[in-house]
Amino acid sequence: VNSVVMMDWVKTVYLVLWAFTYNSVADDFKEQALKLMADTPLIDGHNDLPWQMRSLFNNQLNMVDLNKLNTTHTNIPKIKEGRLSAQFWAAYVPCDTQYKDAVRQTLEQIDVIHRMCHEYPEVFKFAASSQDILDAFEQNKTASLIGVEGGHSIDSSLGTLRTMYQLGVRYLTITHSCNTPWADNWLVDTGSEPEMHGGLSEFGKQVIWEMNRIGMLIDLSHVSEKVMNQVLDISKAPIIFSHSSAYSVCNHKRNVPDDVLMRVKEKRGIVMVNFYNDYVTCSPTANISDVADHFDHIKKVAGSSIIGFGGDYDGVTRVPEGLGDVSKYPDLVAELLRRKWSEDEIRDALGRNLLRVFSEVEEVRDHLNGTKPDDIPIPLKEVQNPCRTDFGYQDKSSSTCIKSFYPLVLVLSLLNKLL
């Protein structure tokens, strides 16, 4: 009996010592992570808090206190705890707005982001350049940048694209989850939507070139694989995936295949890893280690120079255990350190990679400074529909399309009167 008691006691002591050692080591990694994040800004590529302001409050920011809001992945206390130094806020509107009021709704989301910065100037600093991010970091504020999520938001208009840039938009996600009149989205690769353009149309290529010219980051999250490769072929500047993970780890079409990862490296771009469970493990459940597997895989295939963070917080319904909100970034950094990532590799992933990409996009813009804006509109036949007028076009073929609806409208009006 005494020997059994002794064995139980030894096991208990061993477990206590193991737990103490494990927690002590974990604390060391966390402390190291926080030190790295104190001297290198953490830049995240995608957060949908502005859409939460729309869906929860209809953009009535006066009804919201971001210091106390607790129904979202993101609020001010969580941002501070997570050491979030710079955030691309998504100006997102659903595909349902295409051909309707996408531009108006997108402008309202851009307005919300500006108003967030105005309402909380002690926390957020609006940023529109790589230097602005560094300036905000020096001031211990979160640099707030704008990314428009979905090409439908520009309504096939280069003038709208340029106007959004003037309003501070610094990336455009080429598609969301619908084809535009000039680019195919990722659902084409699943077979659930038809391919319309073989990737990019000729006007789609104009959009890419104009983004290069004005200095807007090209975001390839949400596009078809053909679009990925076509953009990598023609863009003069590095590209980004603002919130996508590694396809070889989770075979979801929103993720990036290995051959494209290699091309991103050649193009000096960046893949900012998404935390959505369905893209992390291709299942409803995931944990912080599963996310780190994507970081490891991308580093193995293409090196640490193309990796970043693209959490997709407040835009997804499920996030991994251990990464429940934006306060948990230091825990992921600690996990990478535990996996023997060097401090230099960590600094790359935190922010140096994105800053380099952003700077190079700005250099291409400056090099093209003398180039005139592209003012050739999309062909009318590619956008004609009854919700769009055709002022300025010489070919009025869309008028037939629009007028063909008049008899139907008349019949419906008469039926309505009779009923």
Side-chain angles (χ1 to χ4, degrees):
V1 174
N2 288 338
S3 64
V4 172
V5 171
M6 179 63 74
M7 284 297 295
D8 287 343
W9 183 83
V10 169
K11 286 180 181 178
T12 301
V13 170
Y14 174 80
L15 289 171
V16 169
L17 289 173
W18 178 87
F20 177 80
T21 303
Y22 179 85
N23 288 331
S24 177
V25 171
D27 288 344
D28 288 345
F29 287 135
K30 181 72 170 287
E31 184 179 347
Q32 186 180 2
L34 292 172
K35 286 181 179 177
L36 287 169
M37 297 170 85
D39 63 36
T40 304
L42 165 63
I43 305 170
D44 183 272
H46 195 88
N47 185 298
D48 279 292
L49 182 63
W51 180 249
Q52 295 300 323
M53 296 301 98
R54 164 79 75 176
S55 58
L56 296 174
F57 307 103
N58 202 16
N59 283 350
Q60 297 173 87
L61 285 189
N62 293 333
M63 296 175 58
V64 187
D65 184 348
L66 291 183
N67 289 292
K68 298 177 181 178
L69 181 67
N70 59 13
T71 57
T72 56
H73 295 138
T74 312
N75 64 22
I76 287 171
K78 291 172 184 175
I79 286 170
K80 291 181 176 178
E81 186 178 349
R83 307 302 199 273
L84 182 56
S85 300
Q87 180 67 68
F88 281 90
W89 303 107
Y92 159 77
V93 299
C95 283
D96 289 350
T97 63
Q98 183 159 225
Y99 309 119
K100 301 173 187 173
D101 56 354
V103 174
R104 174 184 65 81
Q105 294 225 30
T106 304
L107 290 175
E108 289 176 353
Q109 296 312 108
I110 292 169
D111 173 65
V112 162
I113 297 166
H114 280 284
R115 289 170 61 208
M116 282 169 49
C117 297
H118 180 76
E119 186 69 22
Y120 303 95
E122 72 285 355
V123 179
F124 302 125
K125 182 179 177 64
F126 188 77
S129 69
S130 55
Q131 185 59 50
D132 286 348
I133 295 174
L134 295 173
D135 292 345
F137 186 62
E138 286 294 318
Q139 297 170 30
N140 198 29
K141 295 182 180 181
T142 298
S144 294
L145 302 104
I146 303 175
V148 166
E149 187 181 16
H152 60 282
S153 284
I154 68 168
D155 194 22
S156 302
S157 164
L158 296 175
T160 299
L161 175 74
R162 289 188 288 267
T163 299
M164 288 183 176
Y165 184 86
Q166 292 299 318
L167 292 173
V169 174
R170 287 302 177 265
Y171 77 62
L172 174 69
T173 313
I174 300 304
T175 62
H176 189 254
S177 296
C178 54
N179 294 335
T180 70
W182 44 274
D184 293 329
N185 82 101
W186 68 278
L187 288 170
V188 166
D189 293 337
T190 71
S192 61
E193 283 198 10
E195 184 177 75
M196 292 178 63
H197 310 292
L200 290 171
S201 72
E202 285 305 308
F203 183 79
K205 294 172 184 177
Q206 285 179 246
V207 172
I208 300 305
W209 293 325
E210 190 66 1
M211 289 175 72
N212 282 171
R213 192 190 69 82
I214 65 177
M216 188 179 286
L217 295 156
I218 300 165
D219 178 21
L220 297 182
S221 289
H222 284 279
V223 302
S224 71
E225 195 169 334
K226 281 186 179 178
V227 173
M228 294 179 193
N229 281 297
Q230 288 171 340
V231 172
L232 286 163
D233 285 340
I234 67 176
S235 176
K236 299 178 183 295
I239 58 84
I240 70 169
F241 285 84
S242 70
H243 57 306
S244 295
S245 296
Y247 183 79
S248 289
V249 180
C250 166
N251 299 154
H252 196 291
K253 294 299 183 180
R254 273 282 283 103
N255 289 335
V256 188
D258 286 356
D259 61 325
V260 176
L261 290 176
M262 289 301 299
R263 297 203 65 195
V264 173
K265 179 181 181 180
E266 293 167 5
K267 203 75 177 186
R268 293 176 58 78
I270 186 171
V271 176
M272 308 180 87
V273 175
N274 192 308
F275 299 170
Y276 182 37
N277 292 356
D278 297 49
Y279 306 159
V280 173
T281 61
C282 291
S283 76
T285 60
N287 60 44
I288 194 170
S289 180
D290 296 321
V291 175
D293 289 344
H294 285 265
F295 279 81
D296 280 347
H297 180 80
I298 294 170
K299 187 177 77 162
K300 179 181 177 181
V301 171
S304 65
S305 67
I306 74 159
I307 303 172
F309 293 74
D312 207 359
Y313 282 116
D314 283 308
V316 296
T317 53
R318 295 180 285 270
V319 290
E321 182 181 349
L323 286 173
D325 56 54
V326 299
S327 71
K328 304 301 182 183
Y329 289 109
D331 295 322
L332 179 54
V333 176
E335 173 65 16
L336 297 177
L337 288 167
R338 188 185 69 79
R339 294 178 178 220
K340 303 189 184 306
W341 280 51
S342 71
E343 291 194 350
D344 212 41
E345 290 170 335
I346 294 288
R347 288 190 176 93
D348 281 348
L350 282 173
R352 290 197 311 203
N353 289 337
L354 191 280
L355 287 168
R356 171 185 52 76
V357 170
F358 203 169
S359 295
E360 292 185 16
V361 168
E362 292 167 334
E363 287 173 11
V364 170
R365 174 201 64 195
D366 295 344
H367 179 73
L368 296 173
N369 187 43
T371 307
K372 290 183 178 180
D374 186 341
D375 60 3
I376 301 174
I378 189 168
L380 184 58
K381 65 182 180 180
E382 296 177 17
V383 288
Q384 61 185 20
N385 65 75
C387 296
R388 187 184 181 104
T389 58
D390 55 14
F391 299 115
Y393 286 95
Q394 297 305 307
D395 173 15
K396 300 293 186 180
S397 58
S398 71
S399 299
T400 304
C401 173
I402 294 172
K403 288 176 182 177
S404 68
F405 282 79
Y406 293 169
L408 177 60
V409 171
L410 181 59
V411 170
L412 289 174
S413 298
L414 290 171
L415 283 173
N416 187 51
K417 289 179 180 180
L418 289 173
L419 294 173

